[in-house]
PDB file of all heavy atoms in Angstrom:
ATOM      1  N   ASP F 231       0.890 244.060 136.621  1.00 83.00           N
ATOM      2  CA  ASP F 231       0.711 245.406 136.074  1.00 83.00           C
ATOM      3  C   ASP F 231      -0.363 246.200 136.824  1.00 83.00           C
ATOM      4  O   ASP F 231      -1.269 246.797 136.228  1.00 83.00           O
ATOM      5  CB  ASP F 231       0.339 245.331 134.591  1.00 83.00           C
ATOM      6  CG  ASP F 231       1.466 244.762 133.734  1.00 83.00           C
ATOM      7  OD1 ASP F 231       2.620 244.811 134.187  1.00 83.00           O
ATOM      8  OD2 ASP F 231       1.172 244.268 132.633  1.00 83.00           O
ATOM      9  N   SER F 232      -0.250 246.205 138.160  1.00 84.00           N
ATOM     10  CA  SER F 232      -1.142 246.986 139.019  1.00 84.00           C
ATOM     11  C   SER F 232      -2.591 246.528 138.985  1.00 84.00           C
ATOM     12  O   SER F 232      -3.503 247.286 139.314  1.00 84.00           O
ATOM     13  CB  SER F 232      -1.088 248.483 138.647  1.00 84.00           C
ATOM     14  OG  SER F 232       0.219 248.975 138.777  1.00 84.00           O
ATOM     15  N   ARG F 254      -6.972 240.877 134.230  1.00 85.00           N
ATOM     16  CA  ARG F 254      -6.736 242.319 134.131  1.00 85.00           C
ATOM     17  C   ARG F 254      -7.760 243.127 134.935  1.00 85.00           C
ATOM     18  O   ARG F 254      -8.409 244.051 134.446  1.00 85.00           O
ATOM     19  CB  ARG F 254      -6.731 242.773 132.675  1.00 85.00           C
ATOM     20  CG  ARG F 254      -5.599 242.149 131.862  1.00 85.00           C
ATOM     21  CD  ARG F 254      -5.432 242.813 130.511  1.00 85.00           C
ATOM     22  NE  ARG F 254      -5.187 244.256 130.622  1.00 85.00           N
ATOM     23  CZ  ARG F 254      -4.013 244.822 130.973  1.00 85.00           C
ATOM     24  NH1 ARG F 254      -2.967 244.034 131.247  1.00 85.00           N
ATOM     25  NH2 ARG F 254      -3.893 246.125 131.052  1.00 85.00           N
ATOM     26  N   TRP F 445     -10.170 249.580 139.048  1.00 70.00           N
ATOM     27  CA  TRP F 445      -8.762 249.688 139.430  1.00 70.00           C
ATOM     28  C   TRP F 445      -8.090 250.810 138.654  1.00 70.00           C
ATOM     29  O   TRP F 445      -8.236 250.922 137.454  1.00 70.00           O
ATOM     30  CB  TRP F 445      -8.038 248.379 139.147  1.00 70.00           C
ATOM     31  CG  TRP F 445      -8.617 247.209 139.889  1.00 70.00           C
ATOM     32  CD1 TRP F 445      -9.601 246.379 139.457  1.00 70.00           C
ATOM     33  CD2 TRP F 445      -8.257 246.764 141.189  1.00 70.00           C
ATOM     34  NE1 TRP F 445      -9.883 245.436 140.411  1.00 70.00           N
ATOM     35  CE2 TRP F 445      -9.065 245.639 141.486  1.00 70.00           C
ATOM     36  CE3 TRP F 445      -7.327 247.197 142.145  1.00 70.00           C
ATOM     37  CZ2 TRP F 445      -8.964 244.944 142.692  1.00 70.00           C
ATOM     38  CZ3 TRP F 445      -7.227 246.508 143.330  1.00 70.00           C
ATOM     39  CH2 TRP F 445      -8.038 245.394 143.613  1.00 70.00           C
ATOM     40  N   TYR F 446      -7.318 251.609 139.356  1.00 54.00           N
ATOM     41  CA  TYR F 446      -6.525 252.636 138.695  1.00 54.00           C
ATOM     42  C   TYR F 446      -5.097 252.584 139.215  1.00 54.00           C
ATOM     43  O   TYR F 446      -4.863 252.669 140.414  1.00 54.00           O
ATOM     44  CB  TYR F 446      -7.070 254.044 138.973  1.00 54.00           C
ATOM     45  CG  TYR F 446      -8.401 254.291 138.339  1.00 54.00           C
ATOM     46  CD1 TYR F 446      -9.578 254.259 139.088  1.00 54.00           C
ATOM     47  CD2 TYR F 446      -8.478 254.530 136.975  1.00 54.00           C
ATOM     48  CE1 TYR F 446     -10.802 254.457 138.482  1.00 54.00           C
ATOM     49  CE2 TYR F 446      -9.709 254.737 136.368  1.00 54.00           C
ATOM     50  CZ  TYR F 446     -10.860 254.711 137.128  1.00 54.00           C
ATOM     51  OH  TYR F 446     -12.071 254.917 136.531  1.00 54.00           O
ATOM     52  N   GLY F 447      -4.140 252.455 138.322  1.00 47.00           N
ATOM     53  CA  GLY F 447      -2.758 252.752 138.676  1.00 47.00           C
ATOM     54  C   GLY F 447      -2.605 254.227 138.417  1.00 47.00           C
ATOM     55  O   GLY F 447      -1.989 254.635 137.447  1.00 47.00           O
ATOM     56  N   SER F 448      -3.265 255.067 139.252  1.00 34.00           N
ATOM     57  CA  SER F 448      -3.515 256.472 138.915  1.00 34.00           C
ATOM     58  C   SER F 448      -2.455 257.389 139.485  1.00 34.00           C
ATOM     59  O   SER F 448      -1.543 256.984 140.192  1.00 34.00           O
ATOM     60  CB  SER F 448      -4.893 256.882 139.436  1.00 34.00           C
ATOM     61  OG  SER F 448      -4.945 256.701 140.828  1.00 34.00           O
ATOM     62  N   SER F 449      -2.608 258.665 139.184  1.00 32.00           N
ATOM     63  CA  SER F 449      -1.604 259.658 139.566  1.00 32.00           C
ATOM     64  C   SER F 449      -1.540 259.869 141.064  1.00 32.00           C
ATOM     65  O   SER F 449      -0.595 260.455 141.558  1.00 32.00           O
ATOM     66  CB  SER F 449      -1.899 260.986 138.872  1.00 32.00           C
ATOM     67  OG  SER F 449      -3.189 261.437 139.223  1.00 32.00           O
ATOM     68  N   GLU F 450      -2.542 259.381 141.827  1.00 33.00           N
ATOM     69  CA  GLU F 450      -2.465 259.509 143.284  1.00 33.00           C
ATOM     70  C   GLU F 450      -1.236 258.806 143.808  1.00 33.00           C
ATOM     71  O   GLU F 450      -0.710 259.135 144.866  1.00 33.00           O
ATOM     72  CB  GLU F 450      -3.713 258.923 143.952  1.00 33.00           C
ATOM     73  CG  GLU F 450      -4.947 259.765 143.835  1.00 33.00           C
ATOM     74  CD  GLU F 450      -5.793 259.355 142.647  1.00 33.00           C
ATOM     75  OE1 GLU F 450      -5.251 258.853 141.662  1.00 33.00           O
ATOM     76  OE2 GLU F 450      -7.012 259.565 142.719  1.00 33.00           O
ATOM     77  N   GLN F 451      -0.770 257.777 143.080  1.00 36.00           N
ATOM     78  CA  GLN F 451       0.381 257.022 143.557  1.00 36.00           C
ATOM     79  C   GLN F 451       1.648 257.863 143.535  1.00 36.00           C
ATOM     80  O   GLN F 451       2.594 257.579 144.255  1.00 36.00           O
ATOM     81  CB  GLN F 451       0.568 255.776 142.685  1.00 36.00           C
ATOM     82  CG  GLN F 451      -0.542 254.775 142.892  1.00 36.00           C
ATOM     83  CD  GLN F 451      -0.337 253.540 142.029  1.00 36.00           C
ATOM     84  OE1 GLN F 451       0.353 253.574 141.031  1.00 36.00           O
ATOM     85  NE2 GLN F 451      -0.923 252.452 142.441  1.00 36.00           N
ATOM     86  N   SER F 452       1.675 258.882 142.703  1.00 34.00           N
ATOM     87  CA  SER F 452       2.895 259.687 142.615  1.00 34.00           C
ATOM     88  C   SER F 452       3.167 260.418 143.918  1.00 34.00           C
ATOM     89  O   SER F 452       4.297 260.775 144.213  1.00 34.00           O
ATOM     90  CB  SER F 452       2.773 260.686 141.465  1.00 34.00           C
ATOM     91  OG  SER F 452       1.730 261.592 141.714  1.00 34.00           O
ATOM     92  N   ARG F 457       7.697 257.294 142.747  1.00 38.00           N
ATOM     93  CA  ARG F 457       7.993 257.564 141.344  1.00 38.00           C
ATOM     94  C   ARG F 457       7.341 258.876 140.953  1.00 38.00           C
ATOM     95  O   ARG F 457       6.464 259.391 141.638  1.00 38.00           O
ATOM     96  CB  ARG F 457       7.509 256.438 140.437  1.00 38.00           C
ATOM     97  CG  ARG F 457       6.021 256.156 140.540  1.00 38.00           C
ATOM     98  CD  ARG F 457       5.648 255.120 139.528  1.00 38.00           C
ATOM     99  NE  ARG F 457       4.254 254.731 139.707  1.00 38.00           N
ATOM    100  CZ  ARG F 457       3.602 253.954 138.845  1.00 38.00           C
ATOM    101  NH1 ARG F 457       4.219 253.503 137.782  1.00 38.00           N
ATOM    102  NH2 ARG F 457       2.357 253.625 139.053  1.00 38.00           N
ATOM    103  N   LYS F 459       5.136 261.568 138.488  1.00 37.00           N
ATOM    104  CA  LYS F 459       3.851 261.479 137.802  1.00 37.00           C
ATOM    105  C   LYS F 459       4.019 260.953 136.389  1.00 37.00           C
ATOM    106  O   LYS F 459       3.206 260.171 135.907  1.00 37.00           O
ATOM    107  CB  LYS F 459       3.178 262.860 137.784  1.00 37.00           C
ATOM    108  CG  LYS F 459       1.812 262.848 137.126  1.00 37.00           C
ATOM    109  CD  LYS F 459       1.176 264.196 137.201  1.00 37.00           C
ATOM    110  CE  LYS F 459      -0.187 264.177 136.537  1.00 37.00           C
ATOM    111  NZ  LYS F 459      -0.854 265.481 136.588  1.00 37.00           N
ATOM    112  N   SER F 460       5.077 261.365 135.717  1.00 38.00           N
ATOM    113  CA  SER F 460       5.268 260.926 134.333  1.00 38.00           C
ATOM    114  C   SER F 460       5.532 259.440 134.269  1.00 38.00           C
ATOM    115  O   SER F 460       5.038 258.747 133.383  1.00 38.00           O
ATOM    116  CB  SER F 460       6.425 261.689 133.687  1.00 38.00           C
ATOM    117  OG  SER F 460       7.633 261.455 134.408  1.00 38.00           O
ATOM    118  N   SER F 461       6.311 258.897 135.216  1.00 38.00           N
ATOM    119  CA  SER F 461       6.560 257.456 135.173  1.00 38.00           C
ATOM    120  C   SER F 461       5.323 256.683 135.539  1.00 38.00           C
ATOM    121  O   SER F 461       5.073 255.596 135.025  1.00 38.00           O
ATOM    122  CB  SER F 461       7.716 257.081 136.122  1.00 38.00           C
ATOM    123  OG  SER F 461       7.338 257.351 137.467  1.00 38.00           O
ATOM    124  N   ALA F 462       4.515 257.230 136.454  1.00 37.00           N
ATOM    125  CA  ALA F 462       3.275 256.539 136.813  1.00 37.00           C
ATOM    126  C   ALA F 462       2.346 256.454 135.625  1.00 37.00           C
ATOM    127  O   ALA F 462       1.747 255.418 135.362  1.00 37.00           O
ATOM    128  CB  ALA F 462       2.583 257.286 137.964  1.00 37.00           C
ATOM    129  N   SER F 463       2.239 257.576 134.915  1.00 38.00           N
ATOM    130  CA  SER F 463       1.307 257.571 133.794  1.00 38.00           C
ATOM    131  C   SER F 463       1.789 256.683 132.670  1.00 38.00           C
ATOM    132  O   SER F 463       1.001 256.117 131.934  1.00 38.00           O
ATOM    133  CB  SER F 463       1.091 258.996 133.287  1.00 38.00           C
ATOM    134  OG  SER F 463       2.303 259.529 132.795  1.00 38.00           O
ATOM    135  N   SER F 464       3.091 256.527 132.526  1.00 38.00           N
ATOM    136  CA  SER F 464       3.590 255.705 131.421  1.00 38.00           C
ATOM    137  C   SER F 464       3.306 254.240 131.635  1.00 38.00           C
ATOM    138  O   SER F 464       3.244 253.475 130.681  1.00 38.00           O
ATOM    139  CB  SER F 464       5.101 255.922 131.255  1.00 38.00           C
ATOM    140  OG  SER F 464       5.788 255.433 132.403  1.00 38.00           O
ATOM    141  N   GLU F 465       3.132 253.809 132.910  1.00 38.00           N
ATOM    142  CA  GLU F 465       2.864 252.400 133.173  1.00 38.00           C
ATOM    143  C   GLU F 465       1.393 252.143 133.453  1.00 38.00           C
ATOM    144  O   GLU F 465       0.997 251.029 133.743  1.00 38.00           O
ATOM    145  CB  GLU F 465       3.693 251.927 134.381  1.00 38.00           C
ATOM    146  CG  GLU F 465       5.191 251.971 134.106  1.00 38.00           C
ATOM    147  CD  GLU F 465       5.997 251.506 135.305  1.00 38.00           C
ATOM    148  OE1 GLU F 465       5.398 250.870 136.195  1.00 38.00           O
ATOM    149  OE2 GLU F 465       7.194 251.774 135.370  1.00 38.00           O
ATOM    150  N   ARG F 466       0.595 253.186 133.395  1.00 37.00           N
ATOM    151  CA  ARG F 466      -0.818 253.046 133.688  1.00 37.00           C
ATOM    152  C   ARG F 466      -1.492 252.144 132.651  1.00 37.00           C
ATOM    153  O   ARG F 466      -1.167 252.216 131.471  1.00 37.00           O
ATOM    154  CB  ARG F 466      -1.459 254.428 133.648  1.00 37.00           C
ATOM    155  CG  ARG F 466      -2.801 254.517 134.310  1.00 37.00           C
ATOM    156  CD  ARG F 466      -3.295 255.939 134.278  1.00 37.00           C
ATOM    157  NE  ARG F 466      -2.400 256.811 135.010  1.00 37.00           N
ATOM    158  CZ  ARG F 466      -2.383 258.122 134.845  1.00 37.00           C
ATOM    159  NH1 ARG F 466      -3.178 258.704 133.988  1.00 37.00           N
ATOM    160  NH2 ARG F 466      -1.547 258.866 135.543  1.00 37.00           N
ATOM    161  N   PRO F 467      -2.439 251.289 133.057  1.00 38.00           N
ATOM    162  CA  PRO F 467      -3.131 250.435 132.079  1.00 38.00           C
ATOM    163  C   PRO F 467      -3.785 251.297 131.010  1.00 38.00           C
ATOM    164  O   PRO F 467      -4.495 252.246 131.307  1.00 38.00           O
ATOM    165  CB  PRO F 467      -4.194 249.712 132.928  1.00 38.00           C
ATOM    166  CG  PRO F 467      -3.679 249.793 134.310  1.00 38.00           C
ATOM    167  CD  PRO F 467      -2.901 251.063 134.411  1.00 38.00           C
ATOM    168  N   ARG F 468      -3.531 250.977 129.747  1.00 37.00           N
ATOM    169  CA  ARG F 468      -4.033 251.787 128.651  1.00 37.00           C
ATOM    170  C   ARG F 468      -5.331 251.206 128.130  1.00 37.00           C
ATOM    171  O   ARG F 468      -5.548 250.017 128.134  1.00 37.00           O
ATOM    172  CB  ARG F 468      -2.996 251.871 127.532  1.00 37.00           C
ATOM    173  CG  ARG F 468      -1.647 252.381 128.045  1.00 37.00           C
ATOM    174  CD  ARG F 468      -0.829 253.021 126.967  1.00 37.00           C
ATOM    175  NE  ARG F 468      -0.679 252.173 125.807  1.00 37.00           N
ATOM    176  CZ  ARG F 468      -0.047 252.566 124.703  1.00 37.00           C
ATOM    177  NH1 ARG F 468       0.462 253.773 124.642  1.00 37.00           N
ATOM    178  NH2 ARG F 468       0.067 251.756 123.666  1.00 37.00           N
ATOM    179  N   ARG F 469      -6.187 252.051 127.640  1.00 36.00           N
ATOM    180  CA  ARG F 469      -7.480 251.632 127.118  1.00 36.00           C
ATOM    181  C   ARG F 469      -7.789 252.452 125.870  1.00 36.00           C
ATOM    182  O   ARG F 469      -7.187 253.489 125.627  1.00 36.00           O
ATOM    183  CB  ARG F 469      -8.587 251.846 128.142  1.00 36.00           C
ATOM    184  CG  ARG F 469      -8.645 253.257 128.647  1.00 36.00           C
ATOM    185  CD  ARG F 469      -9.772 253.465 129.597  1.00 36.00           C
ATOM    186  NE  ARG F 469     -11.022 253.418 128.880  1.00 36.00           N
ATOM    187  CZ  ARG F 469     -12.192 253.609 129.458  1.00 36.00           C
ATOM    188  NH1 ARG F 469     -12.254 253.841 130.742  1.00 36.00           N
ATOM    189  NH2 ARG F 469     -13.291 253.548 128.761  1.00 36.00           N
ATOM    190  N   SER F 477      -5.921 255.955 125.375  1.00 35.00           N
ATOM    191  CA  SER F 477      -5.797 256.821 126.539  1.00 35.00           C
ATOM    192  C   SER F 477      -5.219 256.004 127.677  1.00 35.00           C
ATOM    193  O   SER F 477      -5.092 254.800 127.588  1.00 35.00           O
ATOM    194  CB  SER F 477      -7.159 257.399 126.950  1.00 35.00           C
ATOM    195  OG  SER F 477      -7.955 256.396 127.510  1.00 35.00           O
ATOM    196  N   ASN F 478      -4.853 256.667 128.762  1.00 35.00           N
ATOM    197  CA  ASN F 478      -4.163 255.979 129.840  1.00 35.00           C
ATOM    198  C   ASN F 478      -4.988 255.927 131.111  1.00 35.00           C
ATOM    199  O   ASN F 478      -4.531 256.278 132.188  1.00 35.00           O
ATOM    200  CB  ASN F 478      -2.828 256.671 130.106  1.00 35.00           C
ATOM    201  CG  ASN F 478      -1.874 256.475 128.950  1.00 35.00           C
ATOM    202  OD1 ASN F 478      -1.375 255.388 128.745  1.00 35.00           O
ATOM    203  ND2 ASN F 478      -1.662 257.532 128.169  1.00 35.00           N
ATOM    204  N   GLY F 479      -6.220 255.505 130.998  1.00 34.00           N
ATOM    205  CA  GLY F 479      -7.016 255.241 132.187  1.00 34.00           C
ATOM    206  C   GLY F 479      -8.110 256.241 132.436  1.00 34.00           C
ATOM    207  O   GLY F 479      -9.188 255.882 132.837  1.00 34.00           O
ATOM    208  N   GLU F 480      -7.849 257.540 132.248  1.00 33.00           N
ATOM    209  CA  GLU F 480      -8.868 258.541 132.508  1.00 33.00           C
ATOM    210  C   GLU F 480      -9.173 259.280 131.212  1.00 33.00           C
ATOM    211  O   GLU F 480      -8.295 259.556 130.409  1.00 33.00           O
ATOM    212  CB  GLU F 480      -8.398 259.544 133.565  1.00 33.00           C
ATOM    213  CG  GLU F 480      -8.205 258.917 134.931  1.00 33.00           C
ATOM    214  CD  GLU F 480      -7.862 259.948 135.975  1.00 33.00           C
ATOM    215  OE1 GLU F 480      -7.807 261.132 135.621  1.00 33.00           O
ATOM    216  OE2 GLU F 480      -7.655 259.572 137.125  1.00 33.00           O
ATOM    217  N   ASP F 495      -7.719 264.084 126.056  1.00 33.00           N
ATOM    218  CA  ASP F 495      -6.733 263.118 126.534  1.00 33.00           C
ATOM    219  C   ASP F 495      -5.361 263.581 126.076  1.00 33.00           C
ATOM    220  O   ASP F 495      -4.936 263.341 124.953  1.00 33.00           O
ATOM    221  CB  ASP F 495      -7.062 261.730 125.962  1.00 33.00           C
ATOM    222  CG  ASP F 495      -6.099 260.664 126.437  1.00 33.00           C
ATOM    223  OD1 ASP F 495      -5.248 260.988 127.279  1.00 33.00           O
ATOM    224  OD2 ASP F 495      -6.209 259.528 125.949  1.00 33.00           O
ATOM    225  N   GLU F 497      -2.503 262.645 126.921  1.00 33.00           N
ATOM    226  CA  GLU F 497      -1.464 261.629 126.844  1.00 33.00           C
ATOM    227  C   GLU F 497      -1.793 260.555 125.822  1.00 33.00           C
ATOM    228  O   GLU F 497      -1.259 259.471 125.848  1.00 33.00           O
ATOM    229  CB  GLU F 497      -1.268 260.984 128.215  1.00 33.00           C
ATOM    230  CG  GLU F 497      -0.855 261.979 129.283  1.00 33.00           C
ATOM    231  CD  GLU F 497      -0.782 261.310 130.639  1.00 33.00           C
ATOM    232  OE1 GLU F 497      -1.823 261.180 131.288  1.00 33.00           O
ATOM    233  OE2 GLU F 497       0.324 260.911 131.027  1.00 33.00           O
TER     234      GLU F 497
END
Side-chain angles (χ1 to χ4, degrees):
D231 294 339
S232 301
R254 297 192 57 77
W445 300 90
Y446 292 103
S448 59
S449 59
E450 285 94 331
Q451 291 180 338
S452 64
R457 58 175 174 171
K459 182 177 180 180
S460 60
S461 65
S463 63
S464 66
E465 295 180 17
R466 197 177 298 161
R468 305 205 308 177
R469 55 177 289 182
S477 71
N478 292 289
E480 294 185 1
D495 181 5
E497 300 176 277

